[in-house]
Amino acid sequence: MARLHSRFLHCLTFVFYTTLISHSSSTLESDFSIIDSDSEVLLFHQDYSPPAPPHPPSVSCTNDLGGIGSLDSTCKIVADLNLTRDVYIAGKGNFYILPGVRFHCPSLGCSVTVNISGNFSLGECSTIVTGTFQLGAYNASFYNGSAVNTTGWAGDPPPETSGTPQGLAGAGGGHGGRGASCNVEDGKLPEDVWGGDAYSWSSLQNPWSYGSKGGTTSKEVDYGGGGGGRVKIIIKELLEMNGSLLADGGDGGSKGGGGSGGSICIKARKMTGSGWISACGGNGFAGGGGGRVSVDIFSRHDEPKIDVYGGISHGCPENAGAAGTLYDALPRSLTVDNHNLATVTETLLLEFPHRPLWTNVYIRNCARGTVPLLWSRVQVHGQISLLCRAVLSFGLAHYGSSEFELLAEELLMSDSVIKVYGALRMTVKIFLMWNSKLQIDGGEDVTVATSWLEASNLVVLKESSVIHSNANLGVHGQGLLNLSGPGDTIQAQRLVLSLFYGINVGPGSILCGPLENASSDAITPKLYCEHQDCPIELLHPPEDCNVNSTLSFTLQICRVEDITVEGLIKGSVVHFHRARTVSVWSSGIISASGMGCIGGVGRGNFLHNGIGSGGGHGGKGGLACYNDSCVEGGISYGHRELPCELGSGSGIESPDDSTAGGGIIVFGSMEHPLSSLSVEGAVRADGESFEGTVWKQEYSVSNASSIAPGGGSGGTVLLFLHTLTLGESAILSSVGGYGSSKGGGGGGGGRIHFHWSYIPSGDVYQPIARVKGSIHARGGLGRDKSGAGENGTVTGKACPKGLYGTFCVECPAGTYKNVTGSDRSLCHRCAASELPHRAIYIAVRGGNAETPCPYECISDRYDMPHCYTALEELIYTFGGPWLFSLLLVGLLILLALVLSVARTKFVGVDELPGPSPPQHGHQIDHSFPFLESLNEVV
């Protein structure tokens, strides 16, 4: 309806105008006109500006312009022409300004309008100088060396704008970007001070505003540079741009601010050439802001140079005027580029269109864009790109109470910064950072204290990129989060990383929550230091993985398949929830050391002279002694079998004279244990040690305080696991801190507990832990006469029958365990009477849970179950050696009798042939054998 209403009013205006000047109607009935809104709609399918006011009658080619020919055929301007008033040129023919001709109207706001149906050309080295230049033609050519120059010739800027700076500061004028100011006001940041303000954001797609004049430094003389003029070119077919279109702000010299750039609007079906289009701010004591350029070209064969940067500030070279805006209608992209001129002055980016969405937004080359609204949605269909020291800020510094939405396909940052004053809700598919920073200042307003960044495909930080929030921050995604190397950091007071399939914390990179050395306005997570009861969320965390300020976590990684740690993960309460595997490489550290309570249930105590005892936790804190006076250390507290307590500290709140206990590191939960934890580096929840020397640069300065606190106690490492692998260099630690060198007691050791989710036993037994590294929960050393802290505890879940120890290994061969528990003494020695002489006990899969204990013979020569030889087996089968001997003797006797009877019965002397009987007188007859006696048989 709005468009139809606009067209209707425009048509009425056109009819009224043609009635008034019917004698020149033929020149207005052209096929293409810069004042015909309907023709623009047909060409470009959208309205670019409101209806133009009626023009005066067209001038003639020969009488008024001194040219040759006719505007209805071909008009040629062959000689220089200086105009003194606005000129309107209309006709059905061609209009040519021949080479070397100067076509000038050198007065502020002077307007030159060319509206023809044919072709237009500006010859080589020809110039048009005016305040406003409008061109409508079929084809147009701007030849080499030619120029349309409106620099510094602007008329009055739109009313009720503050583009022209006030006062005598010599500030720059504003338009597309703010003008610079070289004044430094007490209590204000450089970006809080600027010259002329920006305006005409709503018309940046069809800019038509003059630039503003720069300020002055003198009451007597106005040294400010003039604002840039206006240029509008609408070409139906081909635009050849080899010349220059200039709408720059005028220079203000050393005593005046530069004027701001003006407006340039170009529309054509095709464009060729490599000319120059510029609406830059003017140079001066303080530079002017850039103007506004809009380009709507369907087919672009060459890329002319287009500039909208701010002017140079001679009074403060590090603070040029802010960049203007370049809008490209075909891809619907906005570019803010300051040509590598350093500045702290900003370009305002106000409400972004919702229908249709812009495709891309580029902020480049030291440009600084700002969205200064209380709530704003920056939404584009494609890419938001910050390159080469660009800055994009949301909200107002010092007022962190705004909320912003940023939605795009991609957010790319290189050597750039995004600043958010309030809360950011970001949704992208790809988020890439190269040597860049995303800084979120949540302020003290808890209602907007939570920001979340969602990147569904990929988040990559490289070359010391940093995401920093002094409030709550959630980073969510469905793909990969990769902190590539040294300096890459994500840190917040409360940090939740969730839903990625993988997180890689590269060598030298950091995940941290809460911040170390946080500022006073940071929202500090509340630690439950005065309670011994375990927060239920540590054992049964919620499933939603959202940032929740009521929970005790300060750093949670939730619903992530695989986590690789080659850098540092550090926090007060670190939790890995619903993860599949965590791998800590040799360079990797997961730490809660010194991140627990300064006070706490087991806080240390102090003697009258300031010497303090150690904090307690798994073990008591060490005594603090001086001469013959001693004070007890902190008490031991917490649960041995399922610990989840923070370590306690020295008990004194002074940041320079205190120590803190260790924090909490929890892997998995009761319902969702970790599938696998592999550690080659370190997992630490140690208590803090007091350093008696403060190092400042190259000098050591002794701490002059009389306070000598004890060490903090170790914290808690609680592991809900399926399997564990500790390499040879791995360290799993919850040790107490050392006391002050002036005599503080050592902190007590913390607690480490392995809560195995499933312990296979019997024939299906598999080792659940392969431990080659070190596990420590010892107390910290005391100093001077003070005592060391007691050792903490290292425990595991009760093991089933046959298994024992923290890691539920098989009971040694020769022992059995027929009860549930982990103590080594539950593996009872097997009865010695049950082991054969030539046998040894053997290990069986899953340990021995019953008696008798299994064994095997020492050699294959012996047979089970008694480990006898074959003969011994035979002997013992028949009752042993004595009985076997009697049986054997009886068997021999029986055999002898059988043989004797057989001889008598079957072998007779008469029946057998043989020699004659021996002669009488022989002692023995040798013709046939016979038994002399029973001894011969035996």
Side-chain angles (χ1 to χ4, degrees):
M1 292 295 295
R3 174 175 289 184
L4 291 174
H5 184 64
S6 174
R7 293 182 184 177
F8 179 74
L9 290 178
H10 203 175
C11 288
L12 286 178
T13 303
F14 182 78
V15 170
F16 178 73
Y17 170 66
T18 54
T19 302
L20 290 177
I21 53 172
S22 58
H23 64 279
S24 58
S25 60
S26 60
T27 62
L28 296 176
E29 294 172 357
S30 60
D31 295 331
F32 182 74
S33 170
I34 60 172
I35 65 169
D36 188 348
S37 173
D38 290 335
S39 63
E40 290 187 28
V41 172
L42 293 174
L43 282 173
F44 302 104
H45 310 289
Q46 58 181 317
D47 291 329
Y48 285 89
S49 65
H55 287 281
S58 173
V59 297
S60 66
C61 177
T62 56
N63 297 333
D64 297 318
L65 300 179
I68 299 175
S70 169
L71 290 170
D72 287 329
S73 56
T74 298
C75 177
K76 298 180 180 180
I77 307 301
V78 297
D80 293 349
L81 182 64
N82 285 325
L83 303 172
T84 58
R85 59 179 178 84
D86 296 350
V87 61
Y88 178 69
I89 303 169
K92 294 183 179 181
N94 304 317
F95 187 73
Y96 300 146
I97 299 178
L98 299 186
V101 172
R102 295 185 298 175
F103 194 96
H104 292 183
C105 184
S107 59
L108 297 179
C110 181
S111 175
V112 174
T113 302
V114 179
N115 186 17
I116 58 175
S117 300
N119 300 326
F120 171 86
S121 70
L122 184 62
E124 292 187 2
C125 300
S126 295
T127 57
I128 298 175
V129 174
T130 184
T132 296
F133 177 72
Q134 299 183 78
L135 170 64
Y138 190 84
N139 297 309
S141 300
F142 294 82
Y143 292 101
N144 292 332
S146 65
V148 174
N149 191 351
T150 66
T151 298
W153 292 109
D156 295 332
E160 300 180 1
T161 59
S162 54
T164 301
Q166 303 300 313
L168 302 176
H175 181 198
R178 285 170 168 166
S181 175
C182 295
N183 268 8
V184 179
E185 299 184 20
D186 294 338
K188 291 188 176 181
L189 298 174
E191 54 264 33
D192 295 335
V193 180
W194 60 86
D197 213 340
Y199 54 89
S200 297
W201 167 264
S202 61
S203 61
L204 62 83
Q205 300 180 47
N206 184 31
W208 195 238
S209 296
Y210 286 118
S212 296
K213 189 175 179 61
T216 183
T217 58
S218 171
K219 292 182 179 180
E220 291 76 21
V221 182
D222 188 354
Y223 291 105
R230 305 179 300 185
V231 176
K232 177 179 287 188
I233 297 178
I234 300 176
I235 305 302
K236 187 173 183 179
E237 283 297 328
L238 175 62
L239 171 62
E240 295 182 68
M241 176 51 63
N242 290 302
S244 301
L245 299 179
L246 306 177
D248 298 333
D251 291 342
S254 61
K255 296 183 180 181
S260 61
S263 300
I264 298 178
C265 180
I266 301 175
K267 305 170 190 178
R269 192 174 301 278
K270 293 183 290 186
M271 184 169 73
T272 62
S274 55
W276 183 28
I277 302 169
S278 177
C280 298
N283 304 327
F285 181 77
R292 299 194 187 277
V293 175
S294 174
V295 178
D296 186 352
I297 307 295
F298 180 77
S299 175
R300 194 182 307 178
H301 297 278
D302 300 295
E303 285 294 333
K305 182 182 179 183
I306 303 177
D307 292 325
V308 285
Y309 53 83
I312 296 173
S313 299
H314 301 304
C316 46
E318 73 287 350
N319 184 20
T325 60
L326 166 60
Y327 179 77
D328 194 336
L330 187 66
R332 298 196 303 275
S333 66
L334 177 68
T335 300
V336 182
D337 188 328
N338 213 37
H339 200 63
N340 289 319
L341 296 176
T343 184
V344 295
T345 307
E346 297 169 323
T347 302
L348 297 185
L349 308 178
L350 301 177
E351 185 176 2
F352 278 51
H354 297 159
R355 187 177 299 173
L357 293 175
W358 287 348
T359 302
N360 302 309
V361 173
Y362 306 109
I363 303 176
R364 299 173 174 170
N365 301 322
C366 298
R368 298 173 67 97
T370 182
V371 182
L373 307 179
L374 182 64
W375 179 91
S376 181
R377 171 179 288 178
V378 175
Q379 182 175 5
V380 300
H381 186 70
Q383 180 185 110
I384 297 177
S385 174
L386 284 78
L387 305 175
C388 302
R389 296 180 291 165
V391 178
L392 175 61
S393 61
F394 296 87
L396 301 175
H398 320 298
Y399 301 97
S401 57
S402 302
E403 296 184 69
F404 302 96
E405 296 183 40
L406 191 154
L407 299 91
E409 290 285 309
E410 300 176 359
L411 175 57
L412 309 181
M413 299 178 64
S414 176
D415 298 300
S416 299
V417 178
I418 292 179
K419 296 181 180 180
V420 179
Y421 302 100
L424 177 65
R425 317 279 192 257
M426 185 184 86
T427 303
V428 298
K429 289 186 177 180
I430 297 177
F431 183 23
L432 305 180
M433 300 180 69
W434 180 285
N435 189 30
S436 297
K437 294 182 180 180
L438 171 54
Q439 300 173 337
I440 302 174
D441 183 358
E444 300 179 356
D445 189 346
V446 296
T447 62
V448 294
T450 299
S451 297
W452 51 261
L453 316 177
E454 182 175 345
S456 57
N457 289 351
L458 185 66
V459 180
V460 177
L461 281 70
K462 294 180 71 70
E463 298 298 322
S464 301
S465 293
V466 176
I467 299 175
H468 173 100
S469 172
N470 64 355
N472 305 325
L473 176 64
V475 182
H476 314 299
Q478 300 174 16
L480 173 67
L481 170 60
N482 183 23
L483 284 74
S484 303
D488 295 327
T489 303
I490 302 177
Q491 54 186 355
Q493 286 293 83
R494 181 178 279 106
L495 176 62
V496 176
L497 310 175
S498 63
L499 305 179
F500 293 97
Y501 76 77
I503 292 179
N504 177 53
V505 184
S509 56
I510 300 172
L511 293 177
C512 183
L515 305 174
E516 295 186 90
N517 303 318
S519 59
S520 58
D521 60 348
I523 297 176
T524 305
K526 185 177 181 181
L527 301 179
Y528 57 100
C529 293
E530 304 302 326
H531 303 281
Q532 294 193 43
D533 297 333
C534 180
I536 190 65
E537 63 266 15
L538 290 180
L539 306 179
H540 307 280
E543 299 293 326
D544 56 14
C545 299
N546 290 328
V547 181
N548 190 335
S549 300
T550 64
L551 302 180
S552 57
F553 308 125
T554 63
L555 195 160
Q556 185 184 43
I557 299 179
C558 180
R559 288 180 178 264
V560 177
E561 288 288 312
D562 302 306
I563 303 164
T564 302
V565 183
E566 300 177 76
L568 172 64
I569 297 178
K570 187 170 186 178
S572 295
V573 182
V574 181
H575 186 221
F576 297 86
H577 177 43
R578 298 204 69 170
R580 187 170 65 93
T581 64
V582 177
S583 300
V584 184
W585 291 24
S586 58
S587 60
I589 300 174
I590 300 175
S591 175
S593 297
M595 300 293 286
C597 303
I598 293 178
V601 177
R603 63 172 58 87
N605 302 293
F606 286 87
L607 291 169
H608 65 279
N609 62 351
I611 295 178
S613 59
H617 181 202
K620 293 182 179 179
L623 296 172
C625 296
Y626 182 76
N627 291 336
D628 295 329
S629 300
C630 292
V631 63
E632 291 288 332
I635 64 171
S636 175
Y637 61 93
H639 301 278
R640 176 186 177 90
E641 298 303 325
L642 201 61
C644 52
E645 309 88 18
L646 291 157
S648 299
S650 59
I652 187 171
E653 297 295 331
S654 170
D656 297 326
D657 299 311
S658 63
T659 56
I664 301 175
I665 302 174
V666 182
F667 292 92
S669 64
M670 285 284 195
E671 292 80 8
H672 303 285
L674 197 68
S675 296
S676 172
L677 173 63
S678 174
V679 181
E680 293 288 343
V683 177
R684 296 181 177 273
D686 301 336
E688 185 179 14
S689 298
F690 185 79
E691 300 294 337
T693 302
V694 180
W695 293 91
K696 295 182 179 179
Q697 296 179 357
E698 298 180 357
Y699 305 97
S700 62
V701 181
S702 297
N703 192 338
S705 174
S706 61
I707 302 298
S713 64
T716 297
V717 180
L718 177 59
L719 306 100
F720 296 93
L721 299 173
H722 280 296
T723 60
L724 170 70
T725 301
L726 289 184
E728 294 182 357
S729 61
I731 298 175
L732 191 58
S733 172
S734 180
V735 304
Y738 296 170
S740 167
S741 59
K742 298 179 181 179
R751 297 189 187 276
I752 300 175
H753 178 72
F754 300 89
H755 199 85
W756 307 107
S757 61
Y758 172 67
I759 305 173
S761 59
D763 293 339
V764 297
Y765 170 77
Q766 291 288 344
I768 56 177
R770 296 176 175 84
V771 179
K772 298 180 181 179
S774 304
I775 301 177
H776 303 298
R778 60 178 181 269
L781 297 178
R783 304 293 181 92
D784 200 10
K785 298 180 181 180
S786 296
E790 289 185 354
N791 291 336
T793 60
V794 178
T795 57
K797 187 177 179 181
C799 301
K801 296 178 181 180
L803 306 176
Y804 81 100
T806 303
F807 306 111
C808 291
V809 297
E810 299 164 327
C811 283
T815 64
Y816 70 96
K817 178 174 169 286
N818 57 2
V819 295
T820 299
S822 298
D823 196 278
R824 173 67 174 81
S825 62
L826 297 178
C827 293
H828 302 290
R829 190 172 296 279
C830 301
S833 59
E834 297 177 352
L835 183 69
H837 176 62
R838 297 190 185 96
I840 56 174
Y841 286 115
I842 61 173
V844 296
R845 193 181 187 91
N848 185 31
E850 306 258 338
T851 57
C853 300
Y855 61 86
E856 65 181 7
C857 298
I858 61 175
S859 172
D860 293 339
R861 296 171 49 200
Y862 308 109
D863 298 325
M864 294 290 289
H866 302 295
C867 297
Y868 292 153
T869 63
L871 178 60
E872 289 175 329
E873 190 71 34
L874 179 64
I875 291 173
Y876 283 97
T877 301
F878 290 97
W882 291 104
L883 184 57
F884 182 78
S885 298
L886 292 176
L887 290 175
L888 183 61
V889 169
L891 181 61
L892 291 176
I893 293 174
L894 180 61
L895 179 62
L897 291 175
V898 170
L899 291 176
S900 175
V901 172
R903 176 180 178 282
T904 303
K905 185 175 181 179
F906 297 106
V907 183
V909 174
D910 296 335
E911 297 176 0
L912 297 173
S916 60
Q919 298 179 1
H920 182 75
H922 286 80
Q923 294 182 346
I924 300 175
D925 186 357
H926 296 283
S927 62
F928 198 89
F930 62 92
L931 295 177
E932 292 284 340
S933 67
L934 187 60
N935 290 336
E936 294 183 17
V937 177
V938 178

